[in-house]
Amino acid sequence: MPSVKALGHVGLYCSDLQKSKEFYTRILGLVITDESPDGQMTFLSAQPEQEHHELALCEGRDVAPGAKVVQQVSFIVEDLDALKHFHEFLNQENVRIRNVVTHGIAFSIYFYDPDDNVVEIYTKTPYRVSQPVSEPINLDLSEPELMSLAEKSSPS
């Protein structure tokens, strides 16, 4: 049976492409790698030398406000320090945060983009924990305290 190698990219329809481009470049640090000549599509990457785009933003979102069309879009950060830095930055930028949790296998921050799509930033842990697990955490705790919480996590 054939199988895929990895997820290549995700495309999102936007109600305001400029606002979404600004959010994903300024808040997440993604780099614009290309744009369509008509200005209706923008391609972004966290690692433009390795991957042309991981996110495509397109004009044309035509669903009612609050409609659930994307479960989440997730981005990996290097380590717990980077995640904590992002948490501070998101708060400084008044980005609406949904929650901060441990999944045992990862620590995650969930927040909303300009179209209310859920965005996750996460860092992996070395633990194998059956999923689903989602336990609130305080990122002000020390790394050893957080790792202990992750290791003890169990499915809800």
Side-chain angles (χ1 to χ4, degrees):
M1 178 174 175
S3 63
V4 299
K5 178 180 173 184
L7 176 64
H9 62 272
V10 172
L12 298 176
Y13 282 111
C14 306
S15 55
D16 183 331
L17 184 58
Q18 282 304 121
K19 191 173 185 179
S20 292
K21 282 186 342 186
E22 194 267 338
F23 178 86
Y24 282 98
T25 56
R26 189 174 61 81
I27 299 298
L28 293 181
L30 297 180
V31 174
I32 295 173
T33 58
D34 255 329
E35 295 189 89
S36 64
D38 64 5
Q40 299 296 303
M41 183 178 261
T42 300
F43 301 94
L44 303 105
S45 181
Q47 47 188 351
E49 297 303 318
Q50 290 81 33
E51 193 65 45
H52 179 269
H53 65 280
E54 294 149 301
L55 182 63
L57 300 176
C58 309
E59 277 290 346
R61 185 176 177 108
D62 63 357
V63 298
K68 293 181 179 180
V69 293
V70 174
Q71 193 269 337
Q72 71 188 42
V73 177
S74 302
F75 296 91
I76 300 172
V77 296
E78 191 65 34
D79 55 27
L80 193 50
D81 284 340
L83 190 72
K84 288 181 174 195
H85 180 74
F86 255 111
H87 189 248
E88 291 172 14
F89 181 68
L90 293 170
N91 281 313
Q92 289 169 0
E93 294 294 319
N94 296 314
V95 173
R96 188 165 49 109
I97 296 175
R98 186 181 79 183
N99 57 347
V100 180
V101 301
T102 180
H103 297 297
I105 60 172
F107 297 108
S108 300
I109 302 169
Y110 293 90
F111 54 97
Y112 297 94
D113 78 359
D115 283 305
D116 281 338
N117 294 308
V118 175
V119 179
E120 175 192 24
I121 298 175
Y122 72 98
T123 188
K124 297 176 184 180
T125 73
Y127 310 116
R128 293 185 180 268
V129 176
S130 295
Q131 297 299 306
V133 171
S134 186
E135 298 174 3
I137 57 168
N138 180 347
L139 286 177
D140 291 333
L141 295 174
S142 69
E143 185 167 339
E145 290 171 313
L146 288 166
M147 293 305 265
S148 177
L149 290 173
E151 187 176 23
K152 293 175 187 171
S153 296
S154 60
S156 324

